[in-house]
Amino acid sequence: ELKVIEGGIDFFRSAYPLIAMEYLAPGRGNTEHRKAMELLRQIGYKTYLLDENGSMQETADIERHLAHKELESDNIIFKK
């Protein structure tokens, strides 16, 4: 994910597509996911979770969500 975000940063900066990305829990080696998320946040993207109805719910703390739900990973939506 990080390489795709880095390679497409100018596109993401100008076109603002929705981005879906799997995000791993810290115990699974999520350094690359964290870096990708930070890059997207730096250019104005916010992070969202999908609820059970498929609606997007903004979240500022993905890792807290993963720990609270006892998940090893989850799909995160990035939206500007």
Side-chain angles (χ1 to χ4, degrees), residues 11-71:
F11 172 74
F12 299 130
R13 210 178 254 132
S14 63
Y16 316 126
L18 285 178
I19 300 167
M21 183 178 86
E22 181 182 21
Y23 192 93
L24 299 178
R28 292 192 58 203
N30 73 347
T31 303
E32 301 291 306
H33 293 118
R34 238 187 222 155
K35 289 178 183 178
M37 177 188 64
E38 287 307 317
L39 276 175
L40 290 169
R41 284 184 171 167
Q42 286 173 15
I43 61 170
Y45 276 84
K46 294 184 179 181
T47 51
Y48 296 83
L49 303 167
L50 295 177
D51 67 17
E52 57 277 348
N53 298 316
S55 297
M56 294 191 321
Q57 304 298 321
E58 187 174 351
T59 183
D61 194 340
I62 299 167
E63 293 181 10
R64 181 174 161 211
H65 159 74
L66 294 172
H68 177 73
K69 297 282 187 173
E70 297 181 356
L71 299 172

Side-chain angles (χ1 to χ4, degrees), residues 1-12 39:
E1 286 89 352
L2 177 60
K3 290 181 182 185
V4 171
I5 300 303
E6 288 174 334
I9 198 75
D10 290 335
F11 172 74
F12 299 130
L39 276 175

